[in-house]
Amino acid sequence: MYTLIAQNKYGQKLELTHNEAYVIESIEGLDPPDAIINTTRNANADGSVFNSSYVDNRQIIITLAVNSPAEENRINLYRYFKNKYPITLYYKNETRDVYINGYCKNIQVGLFNLKQIAQITIICPEPYFNGSVNEIVNFSSVQPMFEFPFTISEPIPFSEIILDQEKSILNSGDVETGVEIYLRARGPLTNPTIYNVDTNEFFKLTISMVRGDEIYINTKKKQKTVLITHEGVTTNIIGNLASGSTWFQLNPGDNLFMTTAQINPENLDAYCVITDQFEGV
């Protein structure tokens, strides 16, 4: 069993499965999308030379029967599948709960057929499915230190923040994906840095932070962003990216990272948000 829900640009949702108004006959485009392989042929050699490759847009085609009252139910589809406008599809089966963003190319209905059949074509420029539930990994944790019975003669801490030198980030998807990283200053610090321990890559910002400052980093392809929020004002600081820095991509499986700062690393709090991506469902 599976569930398919469509959401239009206004946030309105329509479930196409378990819906008496429609019967889905087929869904094309749920498999891994096609790859484009670019090669060059040599006149004096067999075969060719590989140049580059990329994954093409995903095309999803939904074919469904429109039940009675056919006119009312058909027109209801037009509210959600508007040509050229964005559409989000949510798909869930026994193993995966995912969504994908796309644009409605067209919706065609046989108006004068005895049984109306609608065919909806959606083009997804970002070809991978995204996990519906994000995972959050904190690079620091709070160690409780308050115990009963309770009698003291001198002040003692109730808890202690433990800064993890290294943290494993799990990419449960089946393709490389970027990551969203949030840095927060609990006090003054300088030049926050994130290391990929597995690859020796780093992402370093040449900037000073004060208590309450927050930095947002997005390493996802086509979404690369570095912003700082200071006293309620958000500023683009991509120009503060140190030479040699890498926009991290998480490999499928475990990825080992470490956060620090050049001055006062104990004042740096960090956590990341991972959205798994999948080739198919």
Side-chain angles (χ1 to χ4, degrees), residues 105-137:
K105 180 180 180 181
N106 59 51
I107 174 170
Q108 299 176 335
V109 184
L111 299 182
F112 301 103
N113 294 341
L114 184 60
K115 183 69 173 181
Q116 292 189 9
I117 302 296
Q119 187 175 80
I120 304 161
T121 301
I122 297 168
I123 303 298
C124 304
E126 295 293 336
Y128 298 121
F129 289 97
N130 301 289
S132 295
V133 179
N134 295 330
E135 180 184 357
I136 299 176
V137 176

Side-chain angles (χ1 to χ4, degrees), residues 17-237:
T17 49
H18 315 105
N19 188 334
E20 295 182 354
Y22 313 103
V23 176
I24 293 180
E25 295 190 350
S26 67
I27 306 175
E28 300 177 34
L30 300 181
D31 299 323
D34 292 339
I36 304 299
I37 311 297
N38 296 314
T39 61
T40 301
R41 290 191 177 277
N42 292 329
N44 300 320
D46 296 334
S48 60
V49 177
F50 171 81
N51 290 328
S52 63
S53 63
Y54 62 91
V55 174
D56 204 0
N57 294 339
R58 181 185 296 274
Q59 178 174 275
I60 297 177
I61 301 176
I62 304 170
T63 303
L64 54 83
V66 182
N67 291 334
S68 181
E71 184 172 311
E72 177 182 330
N73 292 335
R74 182 187 73 248
I75 291 174
N76 187 50
L77 287 175
Y78 299 157
R79 294 179 52 201
Y80 298 89
F81 298 98
K82 293 179 175 292
N83 292 351
K84 85 176 184 179
Y85 286 110
I87 189 81
T88 300
L89 295 179
Y90 295 88
Y91 183 92
K92 183 177 182 180
N93 57 22
E94 294 182 0
T95 56
R96 289 189 171 166
D97 184 358
V98 297
Y99 70 92
I100 191 168
N101 296 313
Y103 294 84
C104 184
K105 180 180 180 181
N106 59 51
I107 174 170
Q108 299 176 335
V109 184
L111 299 182
F112 301 103
N113 294 341
L114 184 60
K115 183 69 173 181
Q116 292 189 9
I117 302 296
Q119 187 175 80
I120 304 161
T121 301
I122 297 168
I123 303 298
C124 304
E126 295 293 336
Y128 298 121
F129 289 97
N130 301 289
S132 295
V133 179
N134 295 330
E135 180 184 357
I136 299 176
V137 176
N138 285 298
F139 285 90
S140 60
S141 57
V142 177
Q143 175 67 40
M145 302 179 67
F146 185 64
E147 300 180 358
F148 289 95
F150 181 60
T151 58
I152 60 171
S153 57
E154 297 180 0
I156 63 171
F158 279 5
S159 62
E160 179 182 5
I161 295 178
I162 307 298
L163 299 176
D164 294 320
Q165 293 298 310
E166 297 178 354
K167 198 76 173 182
S168 176
I169 301 177
L170 178 63
N171 176 7
S172 299
D174 47 31
V175 295
E176 289 185 0
T177 183
V179 61
E180 295 176 277
I181 303 170
Y182 297 81
L183 308 177
R184 181 177 174 85
R186 293 187 290 109
L189 62 93
T190 302
N191 298 349
T193 307
I194 307 159
Y195 289 98
N196 185 329
V197 179
D198 295 325
T199 63
N200 294 321
E201 297 173 318
F202 67 88
F203 189 99
K204 181 178 181 180
L205 293 169
T206 55
I207 194 170
S208 295
M209 302 176 69
V210 298
R211 180 181 177 86
D213 284 357
E214 294 184 351
I215 291 178
Y216 169 73
I217 302 166
N218 188 340
T219 72
K220 297 179 181 179
K221 295 176 181 179
K222 304 179 186 178
Q223 301 180 28
K224 295 176 180 178
T225 307
V226 187
L227 303 173
I228 187 170
T229 301
H230 172 72
E231 295 182 347
V233 179
T234 299
T235 307
N236 187 338
I237 56 169

